[in-house]
């Protein structure tokens, strides 16, 4: 028996024991409900019967019973999802983050009201979109949980809780969701496994080790599912890993291919590195890719070079801070585009570009649109064999770039704001960039791109040469030296921006005077843009055409995750996880320490919220 | 016995003179004096050793100190990250232990209690003794080593 299979067996055993003891909240709640429905057993009796039930059944799914009539997920359903479902990270393979539902719209959104909520029971950053397939919702939370719920009622079907190793430390304790294929779900874990769960019961079907968490290799992304392949990318750019994208057979977890984001000896692009720098050069790939179903090409974003100061790894450093075009069957790199060379600012470009058909300069362009962490709004053209630079402009103020070379699309760096060894260098925007991983959205109806941006933040650090120790932070600076400063006289920080990618014009902008904006954006056909992301814990809806704030709801915690929309029995719902943590919290700590009047207390703890119109 | 876990003296025995007064802390592994095995296989064994003015220590902490030298687990009680920094607190004027993963701060003068950040409890303390000029472990950890939730 393989190591991973052995682990799977051990874990199932643990879950069984966990259910047996009958003391966890979920079991108690379920028992309590059951009791309320009219039985009159004594406490002792129902504890006993609960014990027997849990002993006989092999999984926690026993509590509510497995999901009946589950709709298997097929290639056809992922390529053309029903309007009422949200089965991919951004709902569709083109990465738009757009729902065609319009029952909730700009004229009635003021009547949006909570329908049900559900506590996840854990703290830290809840970054996953609630994934919905024909009335069943799957929610991934920090600490390796997946919760299956009735999306209409909020009743729990089952909960999977991974037993993470005691010696694991999580710099980014989060998950961005579960992928779906046929009757299974796929979770990428912070201890660097891919786990397949039975969608109906939550039972582990297979469990494959990807790399070694003890070396700082971990995963937080939602797997991309393409035609029976579970495709993931590794985190760990801050630990000196060599990034990769890898595919597993959805049936049995067998690794099908692995493509490193940093070319090895003899591979094209290897000469953009010197010596052995490539072996630990970073290029993590910790966000879900998008997919062009016409050309069968995956577009996958690649992170920063490691360690941070470019002086420690001279060269362009392919394919860091790039987008890769990959063949889903082989993992072969078809082509690429590097957004910026010799990264020195921790500017991951891991959010995959959106695939948008544009009319620009009098011609039709099959574009890739990417508002970058490097503060540049990128418009590229994708062809079957190449990615061409079309246009780029700063969407927040930056002192790092002096311009962009018109032919190659390479940004021209100002050396005064590029970190080096032995001297403190300041740069704007901060290392969290113009926009970090929280996703932008594109509305097919308005033709606008909605960007969760941050303005008036600058950063800086003193680069230093440090020897790599596997599993330890390797930033090329002292972590305590990393700064976040606000510009003097700044009257706001977060910006929700609406851009026309065809013209490069900003159509509207909403400013947040006392908060960063650190949450994914979703657009709907009801002319609405939904976003959380602020330290006042609000969830908001804006008019997609004008930017007018139409609705807001204070939630339990801050929101970092992605809003989704779905439909059941003719009712449209909006769902979001509220649960502050990770980088939103880090920015918060820096902001609250240095600025008076900024909210310092954003309580942690995850809750799933579901909204619909008041009946 | 205790040995350096990092730096030029990695693996060498730590003497009282090796611990600079007023910080920063020395990072250490325990070493079994009978088998000479350095207990470095689990990162949960890493220890912070710091020397402070005994007058600054609270009563309980002073009782565990040897010549102002005190030791704590290097594992943050929040998400299990290593506590690496010795910096001025976000919540006061004193220098404190800080975990750079999520900004939790611990004051070693007061039993490493949490003074800032998401950590739910103090770092586990390790009683010390001096044996022939070298530091050694005088008892079990006081408190729990590791993060609040698994991982």
């Amino acid at each position: 028996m393989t190591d991973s299979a052995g682990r799977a067996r051990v874990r199932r055993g643990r879950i069984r024991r966990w259910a047996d003891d009958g003391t966890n909240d979920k079991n108690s709640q379920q028992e309590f409900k059951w009791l309320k429905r009219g039985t009159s057993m004594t406490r002792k009796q129902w504890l006993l019967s609960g014990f027997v039930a849990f002993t006989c059944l092999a999984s926690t799914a026993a509590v509510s019973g497995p999901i009946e009539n589950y709709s298997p997920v097929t290639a056809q359903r992922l390529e053309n999802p029903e309007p009422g479902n949200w089965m991919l990270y951004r709902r569709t393979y083109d990465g738009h983050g757009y729902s065609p539902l319009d029952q909730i719209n700009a004229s009635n959104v003021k009547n949006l009201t909570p329908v049900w909520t559900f506590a996840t029971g854990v703290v830290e950053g809840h970054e996953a979109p609630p994934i919905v397939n024909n009335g069943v919702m799957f929610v991934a939370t920090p600490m390796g949980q997946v919760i299956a719920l009735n999306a209409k009622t909020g009743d729990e079907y089952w909960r999977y809780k991974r037993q993470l190793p005691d010696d694991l430390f999580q710099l980014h304790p989060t998950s961005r969701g579960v992928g779906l294929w046929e009757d299974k779900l796929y979770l990428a874990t912070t201890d660097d496994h891919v786990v397949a769960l039975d969608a109906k019961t939550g039972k582990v079907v297979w469990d494959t080790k990807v790399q070694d968490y003890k070396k700082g290799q971990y995963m937080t992304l939602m797997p991309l599912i393409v035609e029976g392949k579970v495709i993931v990318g590794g985190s760990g750019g801050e630990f000196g890993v060599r990034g990769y994208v890898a595919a597993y057979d959805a049936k049995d977890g067998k690794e099908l291919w692995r493509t490193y984001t940093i070319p090895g000896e003899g591979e094209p692009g290897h000469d953009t590195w010197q010596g052995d720098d490539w072996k630990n050069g970073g290029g993590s790939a910790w966000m879900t890719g998008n997919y062009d179903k016409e050309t069968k090409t995956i577009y996958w974003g690649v992170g920063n070079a490691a360690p941070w100061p470019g002086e420690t790894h001279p060269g362009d450093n392919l394919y860091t801070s790039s987008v890769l075009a990959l063949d889903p069957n082989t993992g072969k790199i078809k082509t690429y585009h590097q957004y910026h060379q010799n990264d020195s600012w921790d500017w991951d470009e891991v959010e995959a570009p959106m695939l948008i058909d544009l009319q620009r300069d009098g011609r039709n362009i099959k574009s890739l649109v990417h508002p970058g962490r490097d503060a540049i709004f990128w418009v590229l053209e994708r062809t079957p064999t190449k990615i061409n630079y079309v246009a780029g402009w700063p969407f927040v103020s930056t002192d790092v770039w002096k311009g962009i070379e018109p032919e190659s699309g390479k940004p021209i760096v100002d050396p005064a704001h590029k970190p080096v060894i032995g001297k403190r260098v300041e740069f704007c925007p901060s290392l969290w960039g113009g926009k970090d991983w929280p996703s932008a959205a594109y509305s097919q109806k308005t033709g606008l791109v909605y960007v969760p941006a941050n303005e008036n933040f600058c950063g800086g650090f003193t680069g230093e040469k440090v020897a790599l120790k596997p599993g330890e932070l390797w930033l090329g600076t002292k972590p305590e030296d990393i700064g976040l400063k606000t510009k003097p006289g700044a009257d706001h920080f977060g910006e929700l921006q609406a851009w026309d990618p065809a013209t490069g014009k900003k159509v509207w902008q909403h400013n947040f005077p006392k908060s960063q904006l650190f949450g994914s954006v979703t657009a709907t056909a009801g002319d609405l843009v939904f976003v959380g992301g602020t330290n006042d814990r609000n969830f908001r809806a804006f008019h997609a055409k004008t930017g007018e704030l139409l609705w807001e709801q204070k939630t339990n915690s801050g929101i970092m995750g992605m809003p989704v929309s779905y439909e059941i029995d003719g009712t449209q719902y909006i769902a979001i996880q509220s649960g502050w943590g990770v980088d939103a919290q880090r920015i918060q700590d820096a902001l609250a320490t240095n600025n008076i009047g900024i909210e310092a207390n954003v309580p942690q703890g995850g809750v799933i919220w579901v909204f619909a119109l008041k009946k | 016995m205790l040995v350096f876990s990092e730096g030029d003296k990695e693996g060498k025995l730590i003497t009282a003179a090796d611990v600079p007064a007023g910080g920063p802390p020395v990072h250490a592994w325990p070493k079994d004096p009978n088998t000479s095995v350095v207990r470095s296989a689990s990162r949960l064994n890493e220890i912070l050793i710091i020397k402070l003015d005994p007058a600054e220590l609270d009563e309980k902490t002073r009782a565990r100190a040897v010549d102002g030298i005190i030791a704590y687990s290097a594992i943050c009680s929040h998400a299990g990250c290593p506590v690496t920094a010795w910096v001025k607190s976000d919540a006061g004027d004193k220098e404190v232990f800080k975990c750079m993963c999520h900004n939790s701060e611990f004051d070693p003068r007061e039993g490493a209690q949490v003074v800032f950040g998401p950590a739910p409890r103090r770092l586990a303390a390790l009683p010390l003794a001096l044996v022939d000029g070298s530091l050694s472990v005088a008892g079990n950890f006081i408190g729990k080593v590791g993060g609040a939730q698994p991982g």
Side-chain angles (χ1 to χ4, degrees), chain A residues 252-410:
Chain A
D252 56 15
K254 207 180 103 199
E255 185 168 315
L256 301 173
W257 52 259
R258 185 181 299 221
T259 299
Y260 284 96
T261 59
I262 299 181
E265 283 157 336
E267 292 178 317
H270 183 71
D271 57 358
T272 61
W273 296 84
Q274 290 185 12
D276 284 342
D277 292 350
W278 62 279
K279 288 181 178 169
N280 306 100
S284 51
W286 46 271
M287 287 280 289
T288 313
N290 289 327
Y291 176 55
D292 187 336
K293 59 194 181 192
E294 309 297 331
T295 62
K296 297 199 181 298
T297 307
I298 293 169
Y299 291 94
W300 204 285
V302 183
N304 59 289
W308 292 352
E311 213 180 336
T312 59
H313 43 82
D316 279 359
N317 308 140
L318 291 176
Y319 300 98
T320 64
S321 297
S322 300
V323 55
L324 288 176
L326 300 170
D327 181 329
N329 288 319
T330 61
K332 194 173 166 289
I333 297 173
K334 294 183 177 185
T335 186
Y336 72 96
H337 176 81
Q338 188 174 42
Y339 298 108
H340 61 267
Q341 291 68 40
N342 190 233
D343 178 73
S344 303
W345 306 267
D346 189 27
W347 284 346
D348 284 291
E349 301 298 351
V350 285
E351 201 207 353
M354 292 183 275
L355 282 55
I356 300 175
D357 290 341
L358 283 185
Q359 267 242 318
R360 198 184 155 93
D361 305 328
R363 65 186 187 104
N364 292 317
I365 297 176
K366 289 205 168 293
S367 80
L368 296 172
V369 171
H370 175 64
R373 189 152 160 180
D374 63 14
I376 297 171
F377 192 110
W378 296 101
V379 180
L380 310 170
E381 178 181 24
R382 66 186 200 278
T383 74
T385 54
K386 262 195 93 189
I387 298 172
N388 302 314
Y389 168 72
V390 176
W393 62 88
F395 63 96
V396 297
S397 58
T398 172
D399 56 15
V400 170
W401 310 118
K402 295 198 284 192
I404 298 174
E405 289 177 11
E407 287 303 312
S408 66
K410 288 185 178 180

Side-chain angles (χ1 to χ4, degrees), chain A residues 422-475:
Chain A
K423 190 180 115 186
R424 190 176 173 86
V425 174
E426 310 284 338
F427 52 88
C428 311
S430 75
L431 64 91
W432 287 280
K435 180 188 90 56
D436 205 312
W437 65 266
S439 294
Y442 172 70
S443 165
Q444 290 149 28
K445 208 172 158 198
T446 63
L448 302 180
V449 172
Y450 303 95
V451 184
N454 283 297
E455 180 58 283
N456 294 319
F457 287 152
C458 300
F461 60 86
T462 307
E464 59 175 33
K465 274 206 167 138
V466 192
L468 174 73
K469 272 191 168 182
E472 292 189 14
L473 277 180
W474 194 55
L475 305 177

Side-chain angles (χ1 to χ4, degrees), chain A residues 556-577:
Chain A
N556 55 297
S557 180
I559 294 169
M560 314 170 67
M562 184 187 302
V564 303
S565 188
Y566 60 95
E567 184 180 61
I568 301 169
D569 299 337
T571 300
Q572 184 188 353
Y573 298 91
I574 304 288
I576 185 79
Q577 292 205 76

